[in-house]
Amino acid sequence: MTDAPAALREAHHADVSGGWLRPAVFGAMDGLVTNIALIAGVGGGGVSSHSIVLTGSAGLVAGAISMGLGEYTSVRSANEQVAAEVAKERRELERHPEAEARELADAWVARGLPRDLATQVAEAVRRDPEEALRVHVREELGVDPDDQPSPWAAAISSFLFFSLGALVPLLTYLVGATELWLALAVGGLGLFVAGAVVARFTNRPWWTSGLRQLLLGAAAAGATYLIGSLIGVQGGL
């Protein structure tokens, strides 16, 4: 039995509009890497486990708030820019509909559509002002004016997933363990799992995606551990 064509199945593409998934992924990765590196740095300096928990908790809260505010501002600013460009395109369609229709037809001709057909379609689209606006915005700006990401969804998603990611390397200390290597190992496992989960959306092999995230996190932790060790040694002189 053969599979039905993808075009006949609903939702055969992943959501790439950047609503909540992108900030969730970046939030979790940033939370993991940030707190793993932070814990490695202060741990390398020889501080107590209490100080590590305090530092990691402060990093979790500060980073989550920063990520949430940053995502909200970024997405809202992008949406406002799109809205301004849509308003500009609406004015052009009202003032110069014929010129805009020719521009649309020229774009389709450049993609290989016959001139006569491109002109006919552009004229048909022009009869519906709202549809004409949507088509022109998609063709000229590459965005769908009716499908913009929510700044609140991005902010909340980033805040929550950063917090979850940043919590992972703190777990061993919170349950009573005091070994730095154990916290870093748990954080590394979290990075590998997060990378493997991301591979589900990118069709990359899960183990290569997981290993890539683990190596990147290890590089960050190694750098901060070295710096923490040097500062800790110098501070003790």
Side-chain angles (χ1 to χ4, degrees):
M1 182 178 179
T2 59
D3 292 335
L8 300 181
R9 301 196 303 267
E10 293 185 4
H12 64 278
H13 286 298
D15 178 15
V16 295
S17 62
W20 66 270
L21 180 59
R22 182 190 61 82
V25 170
F26 281 117
M29 292 299 182
D30 281 355
L32 280 161
V33 173
T34 296
N35 250 16
I36 288 172
L38 191 59
I39 289 172
V42 296
V47 302
S48 66
S49 58
H50 175 75
S51 296
I52 291 177
V53 172
L54 177 61
T55 302
S57 298
L60 185 157
V61 174
I65 293 173
S66 176
M67 287 289 292
L69 292 176
E71 280 293 336
Y72 179 85
T73 302
S74 175
V75 174
R76 178 155 187 172
S77 298
N79 287 354
E80 289 173 349
Q81 182 182 18
V82 169
E85 293 299 319
V86 170
K88 184 189 301 183
E89 188 64 27
R90 185 187 296 275
R91 289 193 298 271
E92 287 299 310
L93 285 168
E94 292 172 351
R95 296 171 181 172
H96 312 289
E98 295 83 3
E100 288 294 314
R102 286 195 300 271
E103 181 184 20
L104 186 60
D106 290 341
W108 287 336
V109 169
R111 296 183 184 182
L113 207 63
R115 168 65 66 179
D116 291 344
L117 180 58
T119 301
Q120 291 175 12
V121 175
E123 287 297 326
V125 168
R126 185 162 72 92
R127 298 190 188 103
D128 184 342
E130 289 303 315
E131 182 61 26
L133 178 63
R134 283 190 289 269
V135 172
H136 278 268
V137 169
R138 290 192 192 104
E139 290 293 329
E140 298 180 27
L141 302 180
V143 298
D144 187 342
D146 298 325
D147 188 25
Q148 294 302 296
S150 165
W152 282 110
I156 294 171
S157 178
S158 181
F159 178 90
L160 291 177
F161 280 87
F162 183 98
S163 300
L164 290 174
L167 181 63
V168 171
L170 284 173
L171 288 176
T172 58
Y173 287 103
L174 295 177
V175 298
T178 59
E179 294 84 1
L180 176 62
W181 70 265
L182 184 58
L184 297 180
V186 171
L189 178 61
L191 278 172
F192 185 86
V193 171
V197 170
V198 170
R200 181 179 180 276
F201 302 100
T202 61
N203 290 327
R204 294 176 58 88
W206 65 269
W207 62 272
T208 59
S209 182
L211 185 60
R212 179 180 62 184
Q213 295 303 326
L214 176 59
L215 292 176
L216 291 173
T224 55
Y225 181 86
L226 177 61
I227 293 172
S229 299
L230 292 173
I231 294 176
V233 170
Q234 291 175 356
L237 293 177

